[in-house]
Every structure is written in C-alpha cells, then in structure tokens.
Amino acid sequence: MPITCPECGALCPDGSRNCRECYHPFGLDAALANQEASAGGVPCGAAPTYPPTARAHQPPASVFRPPQPEKRKALLALGITTAALAVLLIFLAAWFLTQSGRGPSRKFRNACDHMLELQGWKAEVRVDSEDFPMDEPSFYLGQSWSGVLVYQGPDRSSLLARSLVNELSLETRIIEDTLYEWDSMTRVWRNLGEAEASQKGMNPIWNEIFTRKLSMSDEGTETVNDRPCAVLGFDQDLELKEGFFGEEYEVACHYSGKIFVDELNELVMAMDYVVEIPGMGRSHYRYDFGSFDSSTTVEVPPGAAAPTGGG
C-alpha cells in the first residue's frame, strides 16, 4: 500500500523510508503503523506452551548444593580431630626417637664410638679373681693382676699385666686382629696369629658383650676423676660361647656392675663390674680411663717370630 507523505502529500511506494519528493523521513512509527494496517490489525499469537514433564522438576546433576549447617559442623569437627591426631603422632614419633637415641645402652655405645675415634688413651686395670679365672691374663699369671691398657687407634692396642701374687708379667699387642705376645723366657716377640674374642675383650671398648648384649639402666650421676658422670648399671645373665682346649662350649655367665660416662665429653671414665660363672668362680674388673687423645705408640714388634710348628 502506498505511503502518503505527511509533509507534502505525495504518494510513495510501500516500504519507503523517505518521501521521494521532499525527502521527509517517515520514521519507525509510521512504518510500523503501515505494517499493522497491512496485516489487518491482528495481534501476534502467544508462544505455544507444552505440558511440564517429570524431568523439568529435577535439578541438573552438576548443580552444587552447599552442605547443611549440621553437616558443616560434622566436617569441621572431623577435620580438627584428624589434625590433632596427626600432631600427636608426630610428637610421639619424635619422643620415641629421642628417647631411643639417648637410652643408657646407646649412651655407652656413643661414648665407645667417640673413644675409638681418638688418637689414643690409657686405662689403669685391676682384676681380682676368685676360684675360676675369667680372662686370659688371669689364666696365664695365676689369679689377680694389675696392668695398663694402651690404645693407639682402631684395632691397635697393647696390655701389660703384672701378677699381684708373684713376679710374673704378660705383655700383649693386638694389631689388625693379630695377637703378638712377649716371651719372657726367650725374650722375643711372637706372632700368635688371629686374636680370639676373649683376648680382644680385654679392651672393653671393643667388647661386644658391653656394646651389644648388655641392657643398661640409668642410675643417676657420680663424680669420677673430678668429672660428673652418668652411672649406667647392668645386672644380667648371658649365654656365651667360650673355647677351652680347642673345644667350644655354651657357658652361663652373670654380668653385674656400673659404667661411668662423662656425657659432656662423651668419654668412658671408668668401668667397675663382676663376671661370674655360678658354682665355678668370679672376677672383679676395674678400668680407670685417662690420657685421652694423648700420643701413644702401639707398633708391630720388630722380628716377631711365629711359634714353632706354626701354631
């Protein structure tokens, strides 16, 4: 339908935006009015509707639902409890490691390890035997003796023992597991081959009975050689293997006594203990350590001869 220009009255083709004669703009309202008139004034129909389905009432699976207040409280309590348990377990583990690392037996082993690292030390030794002697020098000398143990380095020590009841003496050296002994009759050093456990045991810092087998307990403190020391006690039965005349036997022994450890310097200051074979005999040992880190000399004896027959 032609559009009549409201300005000049000219007829313009349908859909024109401006008058073709005067170029007057018709405007959007005129165009809409013209379109409604051409449609006969019938309004647009409403959008079709569909019946609701059951699925329309269900929330999408991905929709986040915040927890209810009760659930939030329960989750918070669970988190606090879990954190507290974790802290407690860490504390208990640290306490256990600390206590096990500072236990009496560990304290003695730490001191022994430190003494093995020193350049040297000496110990005054006294052994009082009753009935059956328990150590090599006591067998050789006949019961009780006193002596000096000299340490130069790992697996290098010497012992000079003198009988308390006669004029006999015994001098030995252990160097790299080899035992050397002074023969007072021929006045030569002899190479006796590999040292036995009992011979090495005269240096208690090497002795596995003390370092590994005895269970020790703290018994307070005591001053030894002007140094405050921790007192480590033990009182225990042990089944040990001993060799006599080429045969090996199980021997029931009882160890009791005390070890004095200078904790500040990690040094063994003294050992005072008794070894007993019930019904046979006992020996009382006393070691007093000193001259720590001093210059000591324990060398392979020159010209050490093997025994006749090689044994």
Side-chain angles (χ1 to χ4, degrees), residues 287-308:
Y287 288 78
D288 286 284
F289 297 87
S291 302
F292 298 107
D293 230 5
S294 62
S295 177
T296 56
T297 302
V298 181
E299 300 294 342
V300 176
T308 304

Side-chain angles (χ1 to χ4, degrees), residues 66-78:
Q68 298 300 318
E70 294 78 8
K71 291 184 178 180
R72 287 200 299 268
K73 292 180 180 179
L75 291 174
L76 180 60
L78 179 61

Side-chain angles (χ1 to χ4, degrees), residues 52-75:
T53 63
R55 188 175 182 84
H57 296 285
Q58 297 178 357
S62 60
V63 174
F64 170 75
R65 288 185 173 183
Q68 298 300 318
E70 294 78 8
K71 291 184 178 180
R72 287 200 299 268
K73 292 180 180 179
L75 291 174

Side-chain angles (χ1 to χ4, degrees), residues 148-218:
V148 178
L149 174 67
V150 177
Y151 172 88
Q152 182 180 347
D155 206 10
R156 185 177 288 261
S157 68
S158 69
L159 176 67
L160 175 60
R162 295 184 175 88
S163 172
L164 295 176
V165 296
N166 53 46
E167 298 298 321
L168 292 177
S169 64
L170 174 67
E171 187 173 0
T172 62
R173 298 181 186 181
I174 296 178
I175 300 173
E176 296 181 357
D177 291 333
T178 301
L179 175 65
Y180 300 91
E181 182 181 297
W182 173 252
D183 188 332
S184 58
M185 297 295 293
T186 61
R187 304 196 64 79
V188 297
W189 281 95
R190 295 199 176 278
N191 180 344
L192 300 183
E194 185 176 356
E196 298 179 359
S198 59
Q199 295 160 338
K200 292 182 181 180
M202 292 311 302
N203 181 348
I205 305 304
W206 289 345
N207 195 327
E208 289 190 355
I209 293 174
F210 293 99
T211 58
R212 299 296 174 187
K213 296 182 179 181
L214 287 177
S215 298
M216 302 179 187
S217 59
D218 275 316

